[in-house]
Amino acid sequence: MKLYTTISSLQATLKKEQGKGFKIGFVPTMGALHEGHLSLVKQAGEMTDIVVVSIFVNPTQFNDANDLANYPRTLDADLEKLATQRCDYVFSPSVDEIYPVPDTRRFDFGNLETVMEGEFRPGHFNGVALVVSKLFNIVQPDKAFFGRKDFQQLAIIKSLVLQLKLAIEIVPCEIVREMDGLAMSSRNKLLLPEYRKCAPAIYQSLMEANEFSLDRSVAEVKEFVLNTVNGTGLLKVEYFEIVDDRTLIPIQSWSDTGIKVGCIAVQAGKVRLIDNLIFNINHK
Ligand code: PAF
């Protein structure tokens, strides 16, 4: 495994690999790696010849300066974890390397960027699109791997690839959870013990909501999730929506067509957690 910090050195190496006909798999991350990230790296290793992982805390996707300042930065530990996987190249550039001048591009993802996360984190998805488009351009991968936990981000990335007509296959990867059900996230390590203790209530309520959806209306299920999670006394729901998985438009009734996904964001003290679940009950 080799570490690169400059675009030119990484590209020189990748050009040689591509010249040999090797397919490049790319896992973009912001570091503070956990089992969830490692599962993406593993999948990339199974589906492509060369695995590139980027570690870059992207300032343009943070709409809160404190959140950016507090975001965990653990490069040495990250490299140790990646060394346990089939990871060929790590790209860990400086902010100046990625943004030598301000990037003023403005993407338009329509409804996909205004609902849910978009409402609470204005500008976030534009920042994600800025950095991912740059990283795609630098790495030129054949396949890129993204976790389903960031469900809305996945929809944005798919739209980005279509808009820019990139020949990159986006591979969605399953959510990896702690033993108690909490979705793995780099932010989990920032949770104070009392919040960590009640955080599994998020996934628990999503699973119960899925069951309850058999004989309750959409509005009742939404109310149930709000009451259960807020009922912990510590967690505070920012939003809970049940949306169509392609349009991200909230469904009104179980008879609406399409795959239905329950998406939640929760404030756990100073830490913001998101999770989602595909509602897989067959409603008559
Ligand atoms: O999901 C993340 O970690 C980030 O949003 C990404 C895709 C690496 C872009 O900075």
Side-chain angles (χ1 to χ4, degrees):
M1 186 177 89
K2 265 190 165 172
L3 171 66
Y4 291 98
T5 56
T6 65
I7 296 171
S8 56
S9 56
L10 176 73
Q11 280 184 327
T13 295
L14 292 182
K15 216 172 155 193
K16 283 186 207 147
E17 302 287 20
Q18 277 152 340
K20 291 179 204 155
F22 289 147
K23 297 282 177 226
I24 309 280
F26 179 43
V27 182
T29 81
M30 297 206 300
L33 302 182
H34 49 70
E35 286 299 322
H37 294 110
L38 299 184
S39 75
L40 305 183
V41 177
K42 186 163 180 277
Q43 196 157 342
E46 284 163 5
M47 294 178 67
T48 56
D49 306 308
I50 298 290
V51 179
V52 182
V53 175
S54 65
I55 297 179
F56 178 66
V57 181
N58 172 37
T60 64
Q61 72 187 73
F62 286 80
N63 56 324
D64 173 347
N66 275 333
D67 193 18
L68 173 61
N70 293 331
Y71 201 84
R73 289 162 174 85
T74 56
L75 183 61
D76 291 342
D78 291 345
L79 294 176
E80 272 176 34
K81 287 180 188 153
L82 288 174
T84 66
Q85 303 293 313
R86 228 215 70 211
C87 170
D88 300 287
Y89 304 113
V90 181
F91 180 48
S92 176
S94 66
V95 172
D96 283 347
E97 184 72 5
I98 295 294
Y99 296 106
V101 291
D103 189 340
T104 56
R105 287 175 298 158
R106 180 72 191 95
F107 291 89
D108 183 356
F109 297 106
N111 175 65
L112 298 185
E113 69 178 323
T114 53
V115 294
M116 300 193 290
E117 291 296 289
E119 203 178 308
F120 289 89
R121 303 182 73 190
H124 168 66
F125 288 121
N126 200 63
V128 170
L130 289 177
V131 77
V132 171
S133 62
K134 277 171 180 276
L135 292 169
F136 279 176
N137 192 33
I138 294 165
V139 176
Q140 307 263 330
D142 296 281
K143 297 181 199 288
F145 298 79
F146 290 86
R148 283 193 200 273
K149 185 177 81 72
D150 295 301
F151 172 71
Q152 195 171 355
Q153 169 171 282
L154 188 58
I156 294 278
I157 302 292
K158 285 181 187 163
S159 172
L160 176 76
V161 164
L162 288 176
Q163 285 188 30
L164 300 181
K165 292 188 187 298
L166 303 176
I168 302 173
E169 184 192 338
I170 301 302
V171 183
C173 303
E174 288 316 315
I175 299 176
V176 180
R177 298 184 179 279
E178 302 285 356
M179 294 286 277
D180 59 12
L182 177 64
M184 288 204 182
S185 163
S186 304
R187 294 172 195 272
N188 290 355
K189 57 174 70 133
L190 302 175
L191 286 168
L192 293 174
E194 61 269 36
Y195 290 100
R196 175 63 190 85
K197 214 167 158 193
C198 60
I202 301 168
Y203 180 53
Q204 192 62 41
S205 77
L206 290 179
M207 288 201 304
E208 284 170 7
N210 185 30
E211 297 290 325
F212 285 177
S213 70
L214 251 191
D215 48 23
R216 313 246 175 126
S217 69
V218 171
E220 282 168 338
V221 168
K222 283 170 78 167
E223 198 183 320
F224 164 79
V225 171
L226 288 182
N227 290 341
T228 322
V229 177
N230 288 337
T232 59
L234 284 174
L235 305 176
K236 179 123 196 35
V237 177
E238 231 173 38
Y239 65 78
F240 171 64
E241 292 290 356
I242 305 168
V243 300
D244 175 281
D245 85 315
R246 280 173 308 113
T247 62
L248 305 193
I249 293 174
I251 62 159
Q252 302 303 323
S253 145
W254 299 120
S255 60
D256 290 2
T257 53
I259 296 172
K260 298 161 185 73
V261 185
C263 301
I264 191 166
V266 170
Q267 203 64 45
K270 291 201 165 111
V271 183
R272 194 170 177 278
L273 301 172
I274 59 171
D275 201 350
N276 66 81
L277 183 79
I278 297 175
F279 276 43
N280 58 6
I281 301 276
N282 272 332
H283 301 94
K284 294 271 166 353

